[in-house]
Amino acid sequence: MKYEEMKTEGNTSTVTEFVLQGFSDLPNLKKLLFGLFVIIYMIVLFGNGLIIIITKFDPALQKPMYFFLGNFSSLEICYVTVTLPRMLKDLWTKDRSISRVECAMQMYFFITLGSTECWLLAVMSYDRYVAICNPLHYPLVMNHKVCVLLAVGSWTGVIPLQIWQTCQMFSLHFCKSKEIKHYFCDLLPVLKLGCGNTSIQEVTLYIAALVFVVIPFMLILVSYSKIIGTILRLPTATGRAKAFSTCSSHLMVVLLFFGSATITYLQPKSMQSPGTDKLLSLFYTTVTPMFNPLIYSLRNKEVIAALRKLFLKK
């Protein structure tokens, strides 16, 4: 396969086209993987699409909790669409090349949507904190205007730093190799291809990880420590079970997403390997979005009732 190259100063060359390794090391499993990922993509679209529909149109779900859940499901569809269709195309065809511009665009949307997810999960935990710890003030604190502002802030507040991070990453000369050892243009695999001094990009990466992963996760921990403390002080077992059921599904999603993402981006360099990174990335880019609608529907009686109502109408 031919790769486009561009001459630069000092008789070096920088890559203007990459190749995604994807699952080329598993040639005998390509058809199986293609079928599996098509099914996963359909489940993500269908499951999260249903959540969006019922949270938008069911009168019983016109509450802040479900407003954020609808936003979260919309985000999951966008998040998976950034990587999965491209991966399916690479599995179906033999051409795994991707231009520098396409790679930069994929990276930007992936890290922006991933950062939005972190902050939206933090906002959802704050919503549960107010609902359980300050129930009398909940309608006042979490009014429609505040909910909209929190959602818009989660979607747009991450954009400036992620534009800067993407520009920093692609200001590098990529002359070490042309093959990205991943199935999409993720930060760490692309950074490994850079030649010269990459310290600025590494510092930017850790700043972004702090702002978009560590801080939201710490806010979630604070919220849930207060929520658990309040639940344990409730006088009846029935009250404790009901209170915990309203936030247990969100807590499961938080642990699944942040657990795999934290291991991927914050593990020491000595422990990083392309195979492990791909496996962990698959978990938080495809598996978690697939299971999220199931987690929220199975553990929420109002969502189950809304789904039952929707299908009975059909």
Side-chain angles (χ1 to χ4, degrees):
M1 182 180 292
K2 294 182 178 179
Y3 304 95
E4 299 176 12
E5 293 184 346
M6 177 175 63
K7 294 295 180 183
T8 60
E9 295 181 5
N11 295 322
T12 62
S13 61
T14 186
V15 177
T16 60
E17 187 177 74
F18 300 100
V19 165
L20 294 167
Q21 184 187 64
F23 299 96
S24 58
D25 51 339
L26 301 170
N28 297 329
L29 296 178
K30 278 190 174 183
K31 291 182 179 179
L32 176 64
L33 290 172
F34 180 83
L36 177 63
F37 290 130
V38 165
I39 293 171
I40 289 175
Y41 193 40
M42 292 300 104
I43 292 173
V44 169
L45 294 179
F46 180 73
N48 286 286
L50 277 179
I51 296 292
I52 294 168
I53 291 169
I54 62 173
T55 55
K56 180 70 175 176
F57 297 108
D58 194 295
L61 302 185
Q62 302 309 302
K63 302 174 184 177
M65 175 182 175
Y66 300 111
F67 170 76
F68 293 125
L69 180 56
N71 270 267
F72 187 70
S73 292
S74 302
L75 176 65
E76 291 289 61
I77 290 175
C78 298
Y79 187 57
V80 173
T81 301
V82 171
T83 58
L84 243 177
R86 171 72 208 200
M87 182 168 60
L88 291 171
K89 180 256 181 187
D90 292 343
L91 285 168
W92 186 257
T93 67
K94 293 182 179 180
D95 182 16
R96 292 177 286 110
S97 61
I98 183 170
S99 71
R100 188 181 180 119
V101 174
E102 289 174 321
C103 190
M105 291 295 290
Q106 186 184 50
M107 178 183 290
Y108 166 73
F109 283 110
F110 176 76
I111 60 179
T112 299
L113 291 169
S115 302
T116 299
E117 181 157 350
C118 292
W119 276 106
L120 194 55
L121 286 169
V123 167
M124 292 169 76
S125 70
Y126 175 70
D127 170 70
R128 292 297 83 210
Y129 158 72
V130 178
I132 293 171
C133 300
N134 298 287
L136 297 178
H137 296 96
Y138 183 66
L140 180 64
V141 175
M142 299 302 292
N143 59 62
H144 182 68
K145 183 179 179 181
V146 170
C147 291
V148 171
L149 287 174
L150 288 171
V152 170
S154 298
W155 281 91
T156 61
V158 303
I159 292 174
L161 182 53
Q162 297 302 16
I163 290 176
W164 179 52
Q165 186 173 24
T166 305
C167 291
Q168 286 287 339
M169 195 65 64
F170 284 88
S171 66
L172 288 169
H173 293 307
F174 300 102
C175 52
K176 289 183 179 179
S177 173
K178 304 173 181 69
E179 185 178 55
I180 298 172
K181 296 187 183 299
H182 216 316
Y183 60 89
F184 69 97
C185 292
D186 200 1
L187 289 162
L188 293 175
V190 172
L191 182 60
K192 289 176 181 177
L193 302 184
C195 55
N197 186 2
T198 62
S199 58
I200 294 176
Q201 286 74 19
E202 289 176 13
V203 170
T204 305
L205 177 60
Y206 282 109
I207 291 172
L210 176 67
V211 174
F212 300 126
V213 179
V214 177
I215 293 178
F217 187 62
M218 294 303 294
L219 292 174
I220 291 170
L221 288 180
V222 170
S223 295
Y224 272 99
S225 65
K226 292 182 178 296
I227 288 170
I228 292 170
T230 301
I231 290 174
L232 293 176
R233 287 195 298 270
L234 291 175
T236 64
T238 305
R240 289 194 293 270
K242 185 177 179 180
F244 188 72
S245 68
T246 63
C247 58
S248 58
S249 12
H250 177 254
L251 186 57
M252 289 174 65
V253 172
V254 166
L255 293 175
L256 287 170
F257 180 77
F258 276 97
S260 52
T262 300
I263 294 171
T264 300
Y265 290 105
L266 297 180
Q267 64 179 322
K269 283 186 177 182
S270 58
M271 297 177 64
Q272 294 174 3
S273 71
T276 305
D277 288 348
K278 275 196 284 189
L279 184 63
L280 288 168
S281 297
L282 274 175
F283 194 76
Y284 66 81
T285 60
T286 58
V287 177
T288 303
M290 179 180 66
F291 282 118
N292 283 349
L294 193 63
I295 291 170
Y296 278 110
S297 61
L298 286 179
R299 301 189 63 84
N300 191 302
K301 292 180 180 179
E302 290 180 311
V303 172
I304 293 173
L307 289 171
R308 186 181 294 117
K309 196 189 304 181
L310 177 68
F311 285 113
L312 285 176
K313 284 182 180 179
K314 297 294 181 183

